[in-house]
Amino acid sequence: MIDLTKVSHHPCIEELTNLLCIKTLNQDKNFYRPLIAYFLAVMASSQRAYVHTKDRGNIPINLYVINLAPSGYGKGLSTGMLEDITKEFRNYFMNVTFPTLLDQNLKNLSAQRASLSHIDQQSEYEELLKQSERAGRPIFVFDSGTTPAVKQYRNKLLLAKCGALNFQCDEIGSNLMANTDLMNSFLELFDKGLIKNKLVKNTQDNVRDIDLGGNTPANCLLFGTQDKIFDGSATEDLFYSFLEIGYARRCLFGIGKTMKAKSYYTMSASEMYNQLIQPNNDATAIKWSNTFLKLANPAYYNRRIELPDDVAIQLLEYRKECDIEADKLPEFAGTKKAELSHRHFKALKLAGALAFIDNAPTITMTCLLQAIKLVEESGKSFQTILNRDKPYMKLAKYLMGCDTPQTHADLLEALPFYKASSKNDMMALAQAYAYSQHGLIKKTYMDGIEFFKGESLKATDLDKMILSYSNDVAYGYKNVQVPFKSLYKMTHANTLMHWINHHVKDGHRCDMCSYNKFNMIVIDCDGEINLKLAMDLMKEYTFFVHTTKSNVEPDNNRFRMVIPIAYELELDKEDYKEFMNNILNWLPFHSDEGTNSRVKKWESCSKGSCFGQNINFTYNEGVLLDPLPFIPHTMRNERYQKENKKAIENLDNLARWFAIRISIGNRNNNMIKYALALKDSGLPYPEVEARVLGLNKQLASPLSSEELSNTVLKSVAQGYVKNE
């Protein structure tokens, strides 16, 4: 790979970039460099400079640039500054060079035609002059147009054999659709400055001019805000369509990422003012303005810039590297592949523009590497444009940023990309995206109207478990955040403690004073499940388990399981109750339903034992329990309920636990685990066999009777024999 780390940008581009950064108080250099490159190409192509290559012939010097940034980024200011710096070139070229070359070429053409048609040269000259006048006055830059107008003005440029078509459109998001035909025409003009003529009827009022051969280089600058271009609607679709059909491979890209440099916010107003008025600013602008003015002289017209063999070989090496990278991309990434595989051509044109500014007869190796460096930066900006937020992502972010629930009507009014015809599909995608971004979108109903509320979820910090405790049953509760590994200090304090898994207002434990936020749940078991079996069934999750004061005998199996959840949640009283009911139905064992209250309290206990040892608590390390499938009014919970309810609604907790996990490919393994869990719970073999057979019948794809007997039931039966 070409090492660009030690390559500096061309002095003209870098000095003007630094000037724009100072004047706009914005340090995003990658945004300004393509913009400057466009203005350099405009000057080079106006003078019809070209690169002569041995393998491809003559290549016109021209560039297309797309620059996108938020409103207030400095797009207008920076463009205006560059127009001022190149103004002297433009004025001299349009007032002196263009008329001079136009008149000179009209005389040459009239002489050629006169020798062929045997008509006097003056008549031919006057006819060509009329053709030139019909094409209108010369224009250096235009911001909109039509294809017929482009072809007409192109005729003027062909008569002059100088000048270029310079399409410079601001607020491209608002103006793209109006310039669709023009954009299609510029697709043809990029490579060689050629475009096919349209056959129109020749009449007295619409005289078809003589077709003139030749090329007319074209430059294009499209800039605007991302919000307007990426509207999730027809404009965005059209923009990406243009990228796909050719603008991706033709354009340099710049995209604004940050509004201001960090240094901007630390500078005083006085420091900013001094930076804006420092003498070096004017000196830089004057230096390059004078340089550009010299290049407007007719003496610089039709400059031939050679591409030496060693530089051509280096360019071919760059092309090869780009093609290799493009081939690694999947076939459906056609736009990415096209942009990547054509970077060498954009680099060649840019290198030609840099050589023209240097008044150099050849493209040097340094000049080529400077061009490649800028093109590579452009490629990164292009990737950012391709990886923009899709409409459903914008919808999810919008909902997560709203303080109040939104209806479909609210969303249709606020978001241009939110369409009534596809709202359900978009909302489903938004809910899935929110989940991937540690968020959720809840759906509730009021009077038959759907309301949507987004929330950004914070990952649980195991060093900050939310709880409150007191020596009193109802008052004096202290809100704390404690490490998960230190919970035992409270649950097993020698002094009686009451605690809950929420914070409360004014130390009062009641629903009215309970805050919504929590990050762990508590499960109470009163002897219906073996402690060891419960821990084994839940071993994939992180939890803290301890025996309670009612566990007076080693085999009482009265214990409490504290389970941290993956995210901090905020649920009101009713939603928390429904959430906990969903959890309790999901667990593989029965537990106290009273834990579905936000203000359910638990007491500390300093006595007891686990597994016959003189300790009454233990920890298990696993994954944090994902709470999202259990949160009411969410897509995840709806899907969870729909997929599992019908198949398992008549099963007990343990059977339901394994039924959810059983699918094609792991049926046998989970069925054996289920059977062993039944055995460990103390059931006799006939009861285990009956329950296993019963669960198997309810599966969508049950095991065959032969497989069930020869594997699952046989293994369980052997366990009973060993115990005897």
Side-chain angles (χ1 to χ4, degrees), residues 260-276:
K260 300 291 182 183
K262 290 182 179 179
S263 59
Y264 169 78
Y265 298 102
T266 60
M267 294 170 63
S268 66
S270 176
E271 289 172 330
M272 285 189 286
Y273 182 71
N274 290 331
Q275 177 177 296
L276 290 170

Side-chain angles (χ1 to χ4, degrees), residues 151-209:
K151 292 180 178 180
Q152 183 184 52
Y153 184 58
R154 183 174 179 272
N155 226 26
K156 180 95 172 181
L157 299 181
L158 289 171
L159 287 170
K161 284 193 175 180
C162 73
L165 294 160
N166 302 318
F167 175 38
Q168 189 172 311
C169 185
D170 191 6
E171 295 302 339
I172 184 60
S174 300
N175 297 309
L176 181 63
M177 302 192 80
N179 288 290
T180 299
D181 288 344
L182 188 62
M183 294 280 289
N184 284 322
S185 297
F186 266 66
L187 282 171
E188 288 187 67
L189 288 164
F190 178 76
D191 292 334
K192 290 279 191 176
L194 301 173
I195 188 171
K196 295 180 177 64
N197 286 322
K198 182 179 180 180
L199 182 63
V200 295
K201 185 177 181 181
N202 187 55
T203 66
Q204 185 176 357
D205 297 326
N206 184 30
V207 179
R208 188 186 308 136
D209 290 320

Side-chain angles (χ1 to χ4, degrees), residues 171-338:
E171 295 302 339
I172 184 60
S174 300
N175 297 309
L176 181 63
M177 302 192 80
N179 288 290
T180 299
D181 288 344
L182 188 62
M183 294 280 289
N184 284 322
S185 297
F186 266 66
L187 282 171
E188 288 187 67
L189 288 164
F190 178 76
D191 292 334
K192 290 279 191 176
L194 301 173
I195 188 171
K196 295 180 177 64
N197 286 322
K198 182 179 180 180
L199 182 63
V200 295
K201 185 177 181 181
N202 187 55
T203 66
Q204 185 176 357
D205 297 326
N206 184 30
V207 179
R208 188 186 308 136
D209 290 320
I210 298 173
D211 187 25
L212 299 170
N215 60 49
T216 50
N219 299 285
C220 179
L221 172 62
L222 310 176
F223 58 107
T225 62
Q226 293 104 315
D227 290 342
K228 286 290 186 180
I229 201 76
F230 303 140
D231 64 350
S233 190
T235 300
E236 182 173 345
D237 292 341
L238 181 60
F239 177 74
Y240 279 95
S241 174
F242 275 125
L243 291 182
E244 290 172 7
I245 64 177
Y247 273 90
R249 76 169 182 85
R250 290 168 170 82
C251 289
L252 295 178
F253 298 89
I255 185 161
K257 299 175 184 177
T258 56
M259 282 300 296
K260 300 291 182 183
K262 290 182 179 179
S263 59
Y264 169 78
Y265 298 102
T266 60
M267 294 170 63
S268 66
S270 176
E271 289 172 330
M272 285 189 286
Y273 182 71
N274 290 331
Q275 177 177 296
L276 290 170
I277 65 170
Q278 60 179 287
N280 286 342
N281 296 342
D282 291 338
T284 299
I286 292 171
K287 168 189 172 182
W288 289 107
S289 179
N290 291 336
T291 299
F292 300 153
L293 174 59
K294 293 177 182 178
L295 296 172
N297 193 285
Y300 292 90
Y301 167 69
N302 205 31
R303 276 297 172 98
R304 169 170 162 157
I305 300 171
E306 297 289 344
L307 183 67
D309 291 344
D310 60 331
V311 181
I313 291 172
Q314 181 63 75
L315 180 64
L316 194 60
E317 179 65 29
Y318 177 57
R319 176 179 181 176
K320 178 182 175 183
E321 291 176 1
C322 290
D323 285 341
I324 290 173
E325 291 302 311
D327 286 342
K328 293 178 182 178
L329 297 174
E331 286 301 320
F332 61 81
T335 308
K336 286 185 179 181
K337 291 168 76 75

Side-chain angles (χ1 to χ4, degrees), residues 464-678:
K464 296 180 180 180
M465 306 310 298
I466 297 170
L467 62 89
S468 56
Y469 69 95
S470 174
N471 297 119
D472 188 83
V473 173
Y475 296 95
Y477 278 80
K478 296 179 180 179
N479 297 330
V480 295
Q481 291 183 321
V482 300
F484 181 62
K485 288 294 186 181
S486 299
L487 284 180
Y488 73 93
K489 295 179 181 179
M490 180 196 63
T491 60
H492 296 79
N494 291 323
T495 303
L496 179 63
M497 291 286 186
H498 305 277
W499 67 279
I500 62 176
N501 63 334
H502 283 74
H503 285 170
V504 294
K505 183 180 180 181
D506 299 327
H508 186 195
R509 182 180 70 87
C510 68
D511 273 320
M512 290 291 293
C513 294
S514 177
Y515 291 110
N516 291 336
K517 185 182 293 185
F518 67 102
N519 59 7
M520 65 179 173
I521 59 174
V522 185
I523 306 299
D524 248 348
C525 294
D526 295 326
E528 294 188 31
I529 179 71
N530 178 280
L531 173 57
K532 184 177 183 303
L533 175 59
M535 291 182 61
D536 185 59
L537 291 169
M538 297 292 291
K539 65 182 178 182
E540 66 180 286
Y541 301 106
T542 293
F543 61 80
F544 163 64
V545 65
H546 67 90
T547 54
T548 62
K549 66 179 182 179
S550 58
N551 193 69
V552 293
E553 298 293 338
D555 295 329
N556 278 168
N557 292 309
R558 298 179 182 273
F559 60 89
R560 188 166 295 132
M561 185 175 285
V562 183
I563 307 172
I565 56 179
Y567 306 104
E568 291 183 1
L569 300 182
E570 293 192 43
L571 301 178
D572 61 24
K573 174 184 175 182
E574 296 303 322
D575 281 351
Y576 183 79
K577 182 175 182 178
E578 190 172 346
F579 169 79
M580 283 303 301
N581 286 339
N582 290 334
I583 292 283
L584 296 177
N585 288 331
W586 166 79
L587 287 171
F589 45 80
H590 182 267
S591 59
D592 181 9
E593 294 180 359
T595 57
N596 63 11
S597 169
R598 293 190 304 177
V599 292
K600 168 71 175 178
K601 77 169 184 67
W602 297 277
E603 296 178 0
S604 61
C605 175
S606 60
K607 299 179 181 180
S609 64
C610 284
F611 315 130
Q613 301 179 26
N614 192 27
I615 57 171
N616 54 2
F617 68 88
T618 187
Y619 283 90
N620 183 75
E621 292 189 10
V623 299
L624 296 186
L625 175 64
D626 181 5
L628 299 191
F630 311 108
I631 302 174
H633 317 304
T634 63
M635 180 188 69
R636 287 285 303 276
N637 182 243
E638 289 178 2
R639 185 168 65 237
Y640 174 80
Q641 299 284 5
K642 182 178 180 180
E643 291 177 352
N644 299 307
K645 186 175 181 180
K646 289 184 179 180
I648 62 178
E649 57 186 357
N650 297 321
L651 301 177
D652 60 26
N653 287 59
L654 186 62
R656 186 184 302 120
W657 176 268
F658 283 100
I660 293 172
R661 286 159 173 73
I662 291 175
S663 62
I664 300 297
N666 70 351
R667 292 173 300 166
N668 193 291
N669 187 39
N670 274 296
M671 194 65 82
I672 288 177
K673 289 181 179 179
Y674 173 58
L676 293 175
L678 291 172

